[in-house]
Each structure stands twice: as structure tokens, then as C-alpha cells.
Amino acid sequence: MLRALLLELAKSPRLRRWIISHRVTRRMAHKFVPGEELGPAIEAVRACNRAGMTASLDHLGENVVTREDAERARASYTEALDRIAADGVDSNVSLKLTHVGLDLGGKFCAEQLRIIVRRAEELGNFVRVDMEGSAYTDRTVQMVQQARAESAAVGTVIQAYLYRSEEDIRALLAIGCRIRLVKGAYKEPSRIAFPRKKDVDANFIKLMKILLPSGIYHALATHDPNIIEAATRFATEQNISKDKFEFQMLYGMRTDLQKRLVQEGYRVRVYIPFGRDWFPYFMRRLAERPANLLFFVKNFFRGAAPED
Ligand SMILES: Cc1cc2nc3c(=O)[nH]c(=O)nc-3n(C[C@H](O)[C@H](O)[C@H](O)COP(=O)(O)OP(=O)(O)OC[C@H]3O[C@@H](n4cnc5c(N)ncnc54)[C@H](O)[C@@H]3O)c2cc1C
């Protein structure tokens, strides 16, 4: 219920204004977002690289309502790709289709995506299309299929909480699409998504067992030690070597687990968000874990640095 409430509050413009204008909350958001500009995000990528991990840069933003904003977002992604190449850091990019104009029309958005993917391909890089709420699932899968037909430099995300995900995975595997598997971060009705965490976890493991033996390079994005343990055990049993897939985690979360996996020889990619529009991302992180919310409430007047 708390999760549902926080995800609902994430839509509130009043709360957004209040949270982003408050000095203490801005400082607290730094746990999850290293900076509002590309520069600090690149520095965070560099730190991950030094620690033996790769990264994915996400310029925060979603549901833009003007073409100008969508085009600005598209330009920020080509700029990030150029900067990654110029600075010689190891990172790809992750984006949300509603940030590059999905609400403004499929054709327009597909063109923005095409420009970004083309640049990534020219630079030998890769674009991950994040998965948003279920209102966008069909369009996201279709647009990625279209983009993947033109370039291998694009992949997407599948959410284990949706009943439809196995079917989507099979369709995407058929065209060689790289997939990031996640549990799912949005509020979805039980008509379309498993309401119980136990069932989401079981479906994650089931889908992981379809992805890993597929011969395509996929990503398992979770901080859940039980799922990570199940995945490493399965990969060992199936003789799937450690360089055939990667784990992904969010910036600022379970850095201990990130390090341990690197020490054990697994590939780890850290998702690094940056930008001014961090409010919905911040709220989703609070909704995910009661300890994050507790930290927020307890430290609101203190502004202390959170623990992992
Ligand atoms: C790289 C990446 C990309 C993502 N992209 C998308 C996307 O495109 N679309 C989408 O819907 N969702 C996305 N997500 C979010 C995802 O769907 C989940 O909401 C989020 O990862 C939390 O689920 P979990 O798998 O970590 O496990 P949970 O079930 O939330 O947590 C399981 C266990 O993990 C540990 N844990 C989790 N969080 C923390 C923490 N902050 N600190 C310490 N321990 C913790 C705890 O032991 C907890 O009991 C992404 C997640 C990652 C890591």
C-alpha cells in the first residue's frame, strides 16, 4: 500500500515542486543521482570504471509534452554518446521513449530514437530503451522491434511483474534483441501484473532461465541477493561463462554487492541517472524499499548521507 501511495504521489506536480526546491531533499537525491549535469555523471562513470564496472547513463526525463523538449532530450543523448567516446569512458546510454516524444506520436518518436541509435552505432556504442508503465509496453516493444530491424545497437527492458513478459521475451529473442530483465517499478493492476512479490521473483527466475541460454548478451538488473544467487548457480550449471551476461544495479544501491560480484569475476554495469528532472526517479526509489523511505523521513531535518 505504501508503495502504491508513493508511486501515486510521484505524479503530483505540487509535491514535485516542493521536493525539488528543498535544499535537504536535493542533497538526499544525490544518493541516487550524482548530478544534474553531464559532467558529474561522467565523473561517476569514471569512478565505476576504476572499480571494474561499466555504466549506463540515463538523462532523467519522461512524458515530455512539446516537440522542442523531445528534440532537446534527443540532442542530450547524442551529446552524451559523443562525450563518452571523447572521454574514453566505458558506458552506454539508457533512455525512456516518453522523454523523446512517445506521447507526441509514434512516427516522431521513432525518428528521435533512430537518430540516437544511429549515433550509437557509428560510435560502436549501445542504446537501452527503458520500459515504462504498462500504457507504453506495446508501443515500446513495437518501436524497439522496428529499431532493432535497422540496427543491433539497441535493446530494451522487460519487467518480470507483467504476465505478458514471457511472450514479449520470445518475440524479442526471435530478432536477436538484447534484453535487460527487471522486476518492474510502476504501479500496475493485478489484471496485468503479479500482485505478490513472491510471484514476481519466481517469474524473474523463470525468465532469467530463458534469457541466459539464448546466446544473446543480456542483463539481469536487480539488487536482490536471492535472485543473483539463483542466476549465478544456473549459469554455472549450464556452463554459461561469466562474460556472456551482466548484472546491472542502480547508482548508489548495494555498492557492497556490486563490488563482490566484480571480485567474483562477474560483469557489473551501474545505471547512472543525471539531470534536473529527478523527482519521479527519486520517488520510485523511495517506493522500492521501506528503508529508503525511513531514511528520507528520519534525515529530512538532518540531511545526512544514507547507508546502502
Ligand atoms: C539497472 C536497472 C535498470 C532498471 N530499469 C528499469 C526499467 O527500465 N523499467 C522498470 O520498470 N524498472 C527498472 N528498474 C527498477 C526495477 O524494476 C526494480 O524496481 C528495482 O530494481 C528494485 O527491484 P530489485 O530487483 O532490486 O528487488 P527488490 O524486490 O526491490 O528488493 C529485493 C532485495 O534487494 C535488496 N535491495 C533492494 N534495493 C535495495 C537498496 N536500495 N539497498 C539495499 N538493498 C536493496 C534487499 O535485500 C531487498 O530485500 C531498473 C533497475 C535496475 C537495477
Side-chain angles (χ1 to χ4, degrees):
M1 260 178 73
L2 187 61
R3 177 174 178 273
L5 175 69
L6 285 163
L7 292 177
E8 203 49 47
L9 286 174
K11 295 177 193 154
S12 159
R14 266 182 75 188
L15 186 65
R16 173 196 291 251
R17 271 196 302 278
W18 187 78
I19 290 221
I20 63 172
S21 62
H22 209 288
R23 191 173 46 85
V24 178
T25 45
R26 288 172 75 91
R27 207 157 54 209
M28 285 170 58
H30 271 288
K31 173 177 163 57
F32 306 117
V33 181
E36 296 194 345
E37 306 298 333
L38 181 57
I42 292 281
E43 282 317 305
V45 172
R46 243 189 258 286
C48 285
N49 291 170
R50 277 196 297 271
M53 298 179 284
T54 55
S56 191
L57 278 178
D58 164 38
H59 185 203
L60 291 166
E62 47 201 270
N63 296 107
V64 300
V65 293
T66 69
R67 285 187 172 222
E68 290 70 28
D69 282 345
E71 284 163 354
R72 244 193 303 278
R74 181 254 294 156
S76 78
Y77 272 103
T78 50
E79 185 197 346
L81 286 162
D82 289 343
R83 182 77 183 272
I84 288 167
D87 288 11
V89 291
D90 193 344
S91 179
N92 60 31
V93 296
S94 292
L95 61 81
K96 290 184 174 43
L97 289 182
T98 67
H99 193 193
V100 291
L102 188 55
D103 291 330
L104 303 167
K107 228 171 129 190
F108 170 73
C109 179
E111 186 49 30
Q112 306 312 305
L113 179 63
R114 186 173 296 119
I115 295 169
I116 301 167
V117 173
R118 206 178 296 141
R119 182 66 63 88
E121 189 170 86
E122 283 161 10
L123 296 166
N125 210 327
F126 180 77
V127 178
R128 179 77 64 181
V129 176
D130 286 346
M131 190 58 78
E132 302 178 67
S134 58
Y136 299 105
T137 313
D138 269 334
R139 282 176 285 169
T140 303
V141 171
Q142 281 161 18
M143 205 165 285
V144 169
Q145 283 170 325
Q146 224 175 66
R148 180 62 185 80
E150 293 170 16
S151 169
V154 64
T156 192
V157 178
I158 290 293
Q159 297 154 325
Y161 63 18
L162 294 183
Y163 303 139
R164 60 177 282 170
S165 287
E166 180 172 349
E167 218 173 292
D168 287 333
I169 281 187
R170 297 211 184 270
L172 290 164
L173 288 183
I175 56 164
C177 189
R178 286 168 57 178
I179 292 169
R180 171 202 295 152
L181 183 61
V182 300
K183 290 191 188 179
Y186 298 82
K187 182 169 161 270
E188 302 293 359
S190 59
R191 185 173 39 82
I192 60 165
F194 294 102
R196 291 186 312 175
K197 177 176 156 47
K198 180 167 130 284
D199 297 322
V200 177
D201 291 358
N203 201 39
F204 192 112
I205 290 175
K206 180 179 174 198
L207 300 178
M208 173 273 288
K209 290 182 176 178
I210 299 173
L211 292 178
L212 290 195
S214 70
I216 301 166
Y217 188 84
H218 299 299
L220 306 174
T222 180
H223 314 93
D224 190 331
N226 295 329
I227 289 190
I228 290 171
E229 160 70 18
T232 56
R233 200 172 341 110
F234 177 74
T236 310
E237 283 162 10
Q238 301 291 312
N239 284 322
I240 297 165
S241 62
K242 292 174 178 174
D243 59 347
K244 294 289 185 276
F245 65 98
E246 66 186 28
F247 289 107
Q248 295 187 355
M249 293 189 210
L250 301 176
Y251 177 83
M253 291 203 195
R254 290 307 308 261
T255 46
D256 57 331
L257 193 50
Q258 295 172 13
K259 274 188 207 133
R260 201 193 77 205
L261 287 167
V262 170
Q263 277 160 8
E264 290 172 5
Y266 290 100
R267 293 185 169 196
V268 179
R269 185 178 300 275
V270 180
Y271 184 100
I272 301 181
F274 70 96
R276 301 210 174 104
D277 195 9
W278 46 262
F279 172 73
Y281 180 87
F282 179 66
M283 292 299 282
R284 286 197 288 275
R285 304 293 79 83
L286 290 187
E288 258 154 31
R289 199 161 178 257
N292 285 337
L293 182 65
L294 203 64
F295 164 81
F296 178 81
V297 174
K298 270 194 349 207
N299 292 283
F300 183 72
F301 295 105
R302 278 195 257 147
E307 298 300 319
D308 269 355

